[in-house]
Amino acid sequence: MRNYILFFILIACLKSGISYSQDVNVKIGIKDSLQSKILNENRQLVVSLPIDYDVSNDTYPVLFLLDGTENNLIDARLVTYNLRLKIIIVAISNTDRERDMMPISRPSYQVENPKADNFISFLETELVPYIAKKYRTNGQKTIRGRSLSGLFVMYAFLSKPELFDNYIGNCAGWFADMNTYFNKLADKSFQNNNNFKGKKLFVANSLADPLDPNKEIHQSIIDLSKRIEHELGDQIKYEYITYENAGHVPYSGFYDGMKFIFEKE
């Protein structure tokens, strides 16, 4: 029985593009980088390609993965493998996470130099075109963030809804003292609801998140959900899921989000 188990594990690893040597080397992607004029720094990337990328002429959707650590990229590969998705994953490493992810500073979360507006300009005018030019993409773009980068996903959704086709925010939202800022952002953005036509937004939070003890982040998404329903209607496909006892950034939120985005209609 043990030999059978090891055999199937090996087959699964080979199918997912994981290769082993004597010292167990695991290839999870291709190192890449982009010199950003907007951010005035070199941004490190790891790009994971579908297993048949080199033997086909197919084009693929792209997942832009914020907080692009090796662990988060492995999670993304597992999710896409389990869902049988052929997708290019672009993992974006952090240099100054708080600067890039936060559009504002408030007492609940103080940031010395919030520059999310610069980071979204980097995505729009530098990174997205770079990936489209260098890799065989089909034009469908998804962005995923978790925790602080989940807040950025909400910021991107409200400030640049036309930039991505799909938005996934895990443990996403904001504290109560940020409500005025995000409400004004939504006021401006929802005036032109055609920008949201055909978009998909998935948000997942845990009701047992230790970083949201007063449920302020949860409440911010409840309030936004009501506005989306009343002001955007059927222009957008939207789902908000809460997990009862999952802690901070439930793994299920990533899986459920990708399933929601890529499920066949």
Side-chain angles (χ1 to χ4, degrees):
M1 177 61 73
R2 180 174 179 272
N3 289 335
Y4 280 115
I5 292 172
L6 291 174
F7 172 77
F8 285 118
I9 290 174
L10 177 60
I11 292 298
C13 290
L14 290 174
K15 286 184 177 180
S16 63
I18 298 174
S19 59
Y20 285 81
S21 71
Q22 185 175 0
D23 296 325
V24 188
N25 296 316
V26 181
K27 182 177 179 180
I28 61 173
I30 303 167
K31 286 186 177 181
D32 203 342
S33 65
L34 177 62
Q35 183 64 38
S36 171
K37 294 180 179 179
I38 294 173
L39 302 176
N40 193 31
E41 63 187 10
N42 186 275
R43 296 306 297 245
Q44 298 297 311
L45 313 167
V46 179
V47 180
S48 176
L49 300 173
I51 192 170
D52 63 348
Y53 185 89
D54 291 330
V55 296
S56 78
N57 294 316
D58 293 342
T59 58
Y60 303 90
V62 180
L63 169 65
F64 290 89
L65 187 68
L66 301 176
D67 290 331
T69 64
E70 291 181 357
N71 286 340
N72 287 339
L73 178 54
I74 291 171
D75 284 348
R77 283 174 57 100
L78 287 172
V79 166
T80 54
Y81 175 76
N82 287 331
L83 290 173
R84 294 179 172 82
L85 296 176
K86 294 183 178 181
I87 189 168
I88 297 170
I89 305 170
V90 180
I92 310 166
S93 299
N94 291 320
T95 58
D96 188 332
R97 186 174 187 249
E98 292 188 339
R99 177 201 68 188
D100 290 343
M101 299 298 106
M102 285 294 291
I104 55 172
S105 178
R106 291 292 185 269
S108 63
Y109 200 101
Q110 296 184 12
V111 178
E112 183 178 346
N113 186 32
K115 291 290 184 180
D117 55 337
N118 278 1
F119 189 72
I120 203 168
S121 294
F122 158 71
L123 294 177
E124 180 179 24
T125 64
E126 295 181 327
L127 181 59
V128 169
Y130 173 77
I131 295 299
K133 183 178 181 180
K134 186 170 182 178
Y135 302 95
R136 294 198 313 272
T137 70
N138 67 5
Q140 185 181 14
K141 304 180 296 294
T142 301
I143 186 170
R144 187 261 179 169
R146 58 193 296 280
S147 192
L148 191 60
S149 63
L151 181 147
F152 178 85
V153 166
M154 305 309 297
Y155 166 75
F157 171 75
L158 293 172
S159 63
K160 288 281 185 179
E162 69 279 10
L163 180 53
F164 298 98
D165 301 283
N166 313 306
Y167 297 78
I168 300 174
N170 296 149
C171 282
W174 50 87
F175 292 108
D177 60 358
M178 302 179 190
N179 279 334
T180 298
Y181 173 83
F182 280 100
N183 284 336
K184 288 182 178 179
L185 196 61
D187 289 342
K188 181 180 179 181
S189 188
F190 289 174
Q191 287 178 3
N192 188 0
N193 62 14
N194 285 331
N195 287 335
F196 294 90
K197 188 174 182 180
K199 305 298 181 181
K200 292 183 179 181
L201 171 65
F202 177 90
V203 184
N205 287 327
S206 170
L207 298 181
D209 188 343
L211 300 186
D212 187 26
N214 298 320
K215 305 293 189 297
E216 294 178 43
I217 294 174
H218 170 57
Q219 188 60 49
S220 73
I221 300 302
I222 289 179
D223 294 340
L224 180 65
S225 299
K226 293 176 181 177
R227 293 198 61 177
I228 289 174
E229 180 181 357
H230 291 116
E231 298 179 52
L232 300 183
D234 58 4
Q235 293 279 72
I236 183 174
K237 187 174 181 182
Y238 172 60
E239 184 168 2
Y240 177 42
I241 289 181
T242 57
Y243 305 101
E244 289 290 336
N245 298 301
H248 190 57
V249 190
Y251 176 80
S252 299
F254 195 1
Y255 179 90
D256 290 342
M258 292 291 286
K259 184 178 180 181
F260 170 79
I261 295 299
F262 289 98
E263 67 183 352
K264 295 183 179 179
E265 314 228 352

